[in-house]
Amino acid sequence: MLRALIFDVDGTLAETERDGHRLAFNQAFAEAGLDWVWDVDLYGELLAVTGGKERMTHYLQQYKPESMTAETAEARIRALHLDKNRRYADIVAAGAIPLRDGIARIVEQALAQDVKLSIATTTSRENVEALMCATFGADWESLFPIVVAGDEVPLKKPAPDVYLRVLDLLQINPAECLALEDSAPGLSAARAAGLPCLVTRSVYSRDVDMSGALACLDGLGAPSAPGGGDTPEGPWRGVARLGDLRRWHAAAVRR
Ligand code: XBP
Ligand code: MG
């Protein structure tokens, strides 16, 4: 039985990476006088490192080791990250990043059918707040009462920590939950927490190996743009409803 949905945020609820976080990082770099520019392709590679501070540290070490001394790097990256997140909040508050197709539908159906909604993300609580306010409205926390963010646990995805904390708060067996993810690190995190995981590929995970996913779709689909992909029932194309998720979940849990 499906009792809870646990949503990843970036790439799953909305396509926040390419036109949200990436732009905000670049704005923060320019404002700080750094010659760091993350184009669309480079950002796709850098996403292998989860967490904005960790991503910048990796980039500094790999691409621009001369731009900061080891003594100042940590504080400067922290300041860059704060500035980037302020800019990210402005971008999403302006309504630049809508929910992905089908998210509002699944959320509405879950609420109507008493399936609990929660969030397990690598990004910060402030960034979740900004996106959720802009998309679900100021009262969003009444819809998603459980949120666990990356800096609130010891290890970020692909470690299972955020999912394990959500499961602890939900007090529901992982087999009765479904994680929704868009990326390989997210899928690994969910699986390591014992969760069945539905992947909806995002712009940055079109060609990534998603072995271990219960189903792997290019999206949940809208009437004007059906989704498609592989499910436990075979190839599927259409507009995914909660009933479809329930069936795929039941089939995967039975296996
Ligand atoms: C996505 C991430 C985050 C974002 C940037 O995680 O890895 O690091 O790219 O956000 P998820 P921060 O899909 O699990 O939400 O700069 O706040 O880390
Ligand atoms: Mg994601």
Side-chain angles (χ1 to χ4, degrees):
M1 179 164 129
L2 181 61
R3 295 176 57 203
L5 299 177
I6 311 175
F7 288 91
D8 167 53
V9 174
D10 295 305
T12 301
L13 290 180
E15 286 282 10
T16 51
E17 294 289 11
R18 187 186 57 192
D19 304 326
H21 290 295
R22 186 184 68 88
L23 295 190
F25 277 117
N26 283 331
Q27 290 169 4
F29 300 154
E31 180 64 29
L34 291 165
D35 66 343
W36 299 8
V37 178
W38 289 359
D39 66 26
V40 170
D41 289 344
L42 173 62
Y43 193 66
E45 288 167 33
L46 295 173
L47 280 175
V49 180
T50 57
K53 292 189 288 285
E54 293 81 352
R55 191 169 301 139
M56 284 188 278
T57 304
H58 166 81
Y59 177 78
L60 167 67
Q61 289 164 351
Q62 296 298 313
Y63 294 82
K64 301 278 181 183
E66 74 293 346
S67 51
M68 288 174 200
T69 63
E71 297 76 52
T72 60
E74 201 185 319
R76 288 195 69 188
I77 283 187
R78 224 178 309 117
L80 281 168
H81 196 239
L82 277 176
D83 187 36
K84 168 264 181 186
N85 281 344
R86 274 193 292 270
R87 292 167 187 279
Y88 173 78
D90 289 345
I91 292 170
V92 296
I97 306 194
L99 292 172
R100 288 188 67 184
D101 281 352
I103 293 293
R105 177 177 66 245
I106 294 293
V107 164
E108 192 186 317
Q109 293 173 355
L111 291 168
Q113 296 175 35
D114 203 25
V115 172
K116 297 199 171 359
L117 299 172
S118 48
I119 285 178
T121 180
T122 297
T123 199
S124 64
R125 192 168 281 265
E126 292 76 13
N127 288 351
V128 177
E129 165 83 17
L131 179 71
M132 300 304 271
C133 266
T135 52
F136 286 100
D139 197 28
W140 67 275
E141 275 174 298
S142 67
L143 314 179
F144 295 82
I146 293 175
V147 176
V148 178
D151 284 337
E152 299 167 1
V153 292
L155 294 175
K156 293 181 178 168
K157 298 173 189 176
D161 300 31
V162 277
Y163 280 110
L164 292 172
R165 177 75 61 83
V166 167
L167 285 169
D168 193 39
L169 294 168
L170 279 170
Q171 288 293 306
I172 297 178
N173 183 326
E176 295 179 302
C177 302
L178 178 64
L180 289 95
E181 276 285 354
D182 69 300
S183 71
L187 170 62
S188 300
R191 297 300 292 140
L195 286 157
C197 181
L198 168 69
V199 170
T200 49
R201 293 182 187 275
S202 55
V203 286
Y204 279 121
S205 60
R206 291 276 175 253
D207 306 313
V208 175
D209 176 21
M210 296 293 183
S211 316
L214 152 156
C216 183
L217 311 178
D218 55 18
L220 296 167
S224 57
D230 296 320
T231 77
E233 297 170 341
W236 170 88
R237 190 170 165 74
V239 174
R241 301 179 60 81
L242 188 65
D244 298 304
L245 272 55
R246 282 186 187 281
R247 268 197 342 276
W248 298 335
H249 175 263
V253 168
R254 261 197 312 271
R255 273 182 189 167

